[in-house]
Amino acid sequence: MAYSKDYKIETKCIQAGYQPKNSEPRVVPIVQSTTYVYDSTEEVAAVFDDPTKSLIYSRFANPTVMAVEDKIAELEGGVGAMCTTSGQAATLLSILNICEVGDSFISLSEIYGGTVNLFAFTFKRMGIECIFVDKNASDEEINAAFKPNTRAVFGETIANPALSVLDIERFARLAHAHGVPLIVDNTFATPVLCRPFDFGADIIVHSTSKYMDGHAVQVGGVIVDSGNFNWANGKFPALTEPDESYHGLRYVESYGKLAYILKARMQLMRDFGTYPAAHSAFLLNLGLETLAVRMKQYCENALTVAKYLEAHDKVISVKYPGLEGNEDYELARKYLKGCSGVISFRIKGGKEAAIKFMNSLSMASNEVHVADIHTCVLHPASETHRQLTDEQLIACGITPDLVRFSVGLENVEDIIADIEQAMKKAF
Ligand SMILES: *Cc1c(COP(=O)(O)O)cnc(C)c1O
């Protein structure tokens, strides 16, 4: 079977990553094996010398997982990808690959709560400092956050749960002016709605647990490398100088455009071992096959629900970048082909009404998840963000009356009817 790099994204979702040859299985096989067999010791030794040549052990490479990695790299327009056991593991390794003790990096402050914990507390204990900047800060203010030891800038295409849109070109320009890469978490947008590499981002991470999987059946993550960043500018000796743990290998010299992603695999994945099982990758691939079709429907359903809520007399305000009047509407038009299925809104009557409304929903499920085919709902103030004080909640835009609504793929009339009946019970 032939494959073309010129295929459109809908086609890539289905055809990329695995093209069976004569008499091979139609569907990507699940290679549930920890290890791989060789005829001779010399051959095993040769693979240890250069693990990019063949497979050794499923702690860092497996054929089923690699088919999915190739598909995701194709979807994002990157040169290579590496799957991980969770989105958190992807973010962790994306930073650790270029930061070590004594280094710092900059992150937008509107990011996923789990990522805030990792950046503000766990990295701090590891001697890596994260400096948070506001997305509306001026270029001057952001430039002032850079230090000689800054190694990256990090942001989310559509922030979870703030639902703000990242000005990718602007942050790529600021990062590049200081000789460091822009890392973008593209979880909510997926490559169907936005391809951050097209706007200057250098590295992409995803929680594949969300839309990519889409069915809430596997927790996973992925790092994708654009191959565009120049690691040999003097700031990244770990990529240009000999790696003692790999018989003096120099990643940039040996692997060129693949230096970053191969270092992540050969060094970090070898040592940390957060590689997914073949079966999880198989399930993720099923989700990816329908990603393009699903994303269009999520966006359509969510826009309809957002407009309905905006007109509702028990709703104070609705946050969805696809609504005219949203502060990021123009950024959304520039960067996104749709704004995903996630909406947040403030309900009249405070926390009590919010909880009563949520408890009264009969179809939408109350769960700590987002971005899957089932419509689901979450109360950030009493669930995901319950450790924060009232002042901290306000600072990150989470009021007690805020409801996060993840619109699924049920018929939108049924979704709205469910909201309607729950609103009646809540008031
Ligand atoms: C969920 C999420 C993560 C963390 O991913 P897990 O797969 O749950 O580890 C990271 N970033 C964003 C934007 C997310 O929504």
Side-chain angles (χ1 to χ4, degrees):
M1 287 181 64
Y3 177 81
S4 165
K5 291 239 172 213
D6 296 331
Y7 284 150
K8 306 274 186 296
I9 196 132
E10 294 81 357
T11 311
K12 287 184 174 180
C13 281
I14 296 165
Q15 299 288 346
Y18 174 69
Q19 293 91 37
K21 298 187 198 69
N22 192 37
S23 86
E24 287 182 353
R26 167 57 279 186
V27 173
V28 60
I30 302 177
V31 182
Q32 195 74 41
S33 179
T34 58
T35 191
Y36 309 88
V37 176
Y38 289 89
D39 287 337
S40 72
T41 312
E42 291 77 8
E43 278 174 276
V44 180
V47 185
F48 265 98
D49 273 345
D50 189 348
T52 63
K53 296 274 184 285
S54 197
L55 294 160
I56 318 180
Y57 192 52
S58 294
R59 193 199 309 128
F60 44 81
N62 165 281
T64 312
V65 186
M66 289 165 89
V68 178
E69 291 168 340
D70 288 349
K71 175 175 283 188
I72 295 173
E74 267 291 294
L75 293 176
E76 287 288 16
V79 293
M82 181 179 77
C83 283
T84 56
T85 44
S86 67
Q88 285 299 103
T91 306
L92 169 77
L93 297 187
S94 75
I95 299 284
L96 279 189
N97 208 28
I98 47 175
C99 282
E100 55 185 45
V101 61
D103 287 340
S104 70
F105 67 100
I106 291 172
S107 174
L108 276 290
S109 48
E110 288 189 349
I111 51 169
Y112 174 66
T115 310
V116 174
N117 280 334
L118 172 67
F119 287 1
F121 304 106
T122 302
F123 272 145
K124 192 174 176 187
R125 283 196 287 272
M126 295 165 76
I128 297 170
E129 183 193 13
C130 177
I131 296 159
F132 290 96
V133 296
D134 190 272
K135 75 181 187 85
N136 296 320
S138 67
D139 281 9
E140 253 180 356
E141 287 168 310
I142 292 164
N143 280 327
F146 282 89
K147 302 198 287 190
N149 69 358
T150 302
R151 292 293 173 263
V153 175
F154 184 97
E156 293 179 1
T157 316
I158 303 175
N160 175 13
L163 303 181
S164 51
V165 180
L166 183 69
D167 190 344
I168 303 173
E169 282 181 352
R170 175 174 177 237
F171 283 92
R173 173 172 50 76
L174 290 164
H176 295 161
H178 293 270
V180 303
L182 174 66
I183 305 177
V184 171
D185 181 335
N186 199 31
T187 298
F188 271 19
T190 82
V192 175
L193 303 184
C194 177
R195 299 212 318 169
F197 293 157
D198 295 345
F199 301 103
D202 303 286
I203 303 295
I204 291 171
V205 295
H206 283 276
S207 163
T208 63
S209 326
K210 314 293 167 53
Y211 287 122
M212 280 192 165
D213 169 292
H215 300 76
V217 293
Q218 60 87 47
V219 171
V222 69
I223 306 175
V224 193
D225 186 351
S226 68
N228 293 333
F229 191 79
N230 171 25
W231 304 106
N233 66 5
K235 287 189 171 245
F236 301 95
L239 281 125
T240 52
E241 298 308 308
D243 178 356
E244 276 179 87
S245 76
Y246 236 113
H247 49 70
L249 180 75
R250 293 169 192 259
Y251 293 97
V252 170
E253 190 183 285
S254 299
Y255 301 121
K257 279 181 171 299
L258 288 165
Y260 174 94
I261 201 72
L262 285 180
K263 175 178 175 289
R265 188 188 294 276
M266 292 165 64
Q267 186 191 68
L268 298 185
M269 195 55 92
R270 175 199 64 189
D271 294 353
F272 293 122
T274 57
Y275 201 64
H279 189 253
S280 297
F282 177 84
L283 293 172
L284 171 57
N285 186 53
L286 291 182
L288 288 170
E289 289 183 331
T290 59
L291 184 67
V293 209
R294 285 188 293 111
M295 288 316 290
K296 284 178 195 139
Q297 193 64 44
Y298 284 121
C299 296
E300 197 182 307
N301 282 5
L303 188 59
T304 308
V305 172
K307 286 182 176 163
Y308 161 82
L309 287 169
E310 206 175 30
H312 202 288
D313 65 349
K314 295 288 186 266
V315 171
I316 300 171
S317 60
V318 181
K319 203 160 184 198
Y320 186 67
L323 287 176
E324 276 177 60
N326 179 282
E327 64 170 311
D328 289 342
Y329 182 69
E330 288 307 322
L331 285 176
R333 278 175 51 119
K334 175 172 179 180
Y335 292 111
L336 304 172
K337 294 199 175 77
C339 295
S340 89
V342 189
I343 296 172
S344 66
F345 65 96
R346 293 180 62 195
I347 193 166
K348 286 184 184 166
K351 181 175 175 176
E352 201 188 329
I355 287 176
K356 217 164 161 194
F357 163 75
M358 288 176 54
N359 290 347
S360 304
L361 288 163
S362 65
M363 182 178 74
S365 48
N366 207 323
E367 64 187 34
V368 182
H369 199 246
V370 65
D372 82 76
I373 54 169
H374 316 91
T375 292
C376 54
V377 69
L378 185 146
H379 187 239
S382 55
E383 294 168 11
T384 46
H385 294 68
R386 73 173 291 115
Q387 269 78 18
L388 305 190
T389 63
D390 285 356
E391 291 83 58
Q392 284 176 316
L393 285 173
I394 304 291
C396 49
I398 295 167
T399 46
D401 55 11
L402 189 79
V403 176
R404 189 183 75 183
F405 204 89
S406 177
V407 180
L409 295 188
E410 300 90 347
N411 187 298
V412 73
E413 290 173 22
D414 291 330
I415 299 171
I416 288 176
D418 192 24
I419 298 175
E420 188 64 43
Q421 66 80 24
M423 283 291 195
K424 287 208 177 96
K425 283 186 189 143
F427 289 95

